[in-house]
Amino acid sequence: MILAPLRGVTIRPFRETFADEIRVAGFTEAVTPFISAIPGFDPLQDRELRERGTGNREQGLKVTPQFIGKDPVALRACLEKVKSAGYDTADLNCGCPYPMVRNKGRGSGILRTPDVLRRMLEVGCDVMG
């Protein structure tokens, strides 16, 4: 099972504090709360990933960084950085319904632009394999 992200709740300190309980409950992977994929941003400077160090394991859980955005070039740059740091998977947030996110065409708003979504998915598959 995968522990879904919940901004401000399933952050690194929560996962570390409740690592045993999370594993006992059957979770083998955790997805981080979303990190913005914007031009010029280094995702390894995001607090969620910076405080973890490199690699994709934490307290026995596989950790998958989740990105949100609508710029395939920015997403590629972010994915290349996390892949070089040892992450082998990434997640694209296509479901956040929060109006400020959705109205910018990110999260669930990306579903209104199938061509952008397709390009984002192509980048993800290309970089992360």
Side-chain angles (χ1 to χ4, degrees):
M1 279 195 303
I2 300 172
L3 181 63
L6 183 56
R7 194 162 208 54
V9 177
T10 58
I11 57 177
R12 184 192 52 81
F14 171 88
R15 295 189 310 263
E16 288 179 352
T17 301
F18 297 103
D20 290 337
E21 291 81 1
I22 290 168
R23 284 192 308 276
V24 167
F27 293 98
T28 57
E29 183 176 348
V31 178
T32 69
F34 70 72
I35 300 165
S36 292
I38 55 176
F41 179 69
D42 180 352
L44 299 178
Q45 295 305 308
D46 183 272
R47 184 175 183 185
E48 180 71 21
L49 298 184
R50 184 182 70 237
E51 291 180 355
R52 286 199 59 258
T54 59
N56 70 339
R57 302 296 298 175
E58 170 184 277
Q59 305 274 333
L61 286 175
K62 178 180 180 177
V63 175
T64 297
Q66 177 188 190
F67 292 94
I68 192 165
K70 59 181 181 180
D71 182 334
V73 173
L75 180 62
R76 179 177 294 279
C78 287
L79 293 177
E80 287 173 349
K81 292 246 184 200
V82 297
K83 185 165 185 174
S84 70
Y87 294 88
D88 59 5
T89 58
D91 181 77
L92 178 63
N93 182 314
C94 298
C96 181
Y98 189 65
M100 287 178 53
V101 171
R102 184 187 68 235
N103 293 341
K104 292 179 182 178
R106 304 179 326 163
S108 64
I110 200 169
L111 300 175
R112 294 187 308 234
T113 54
D115 289 339
V116 174
L117 176 59
R118 180 185 48 76
R119 289 194 307 273
M120 296 289 279
L121 294 173
E122 287 172 349
V123 163
C125 291
D126 182 48
V127 175
M128 301 307 287

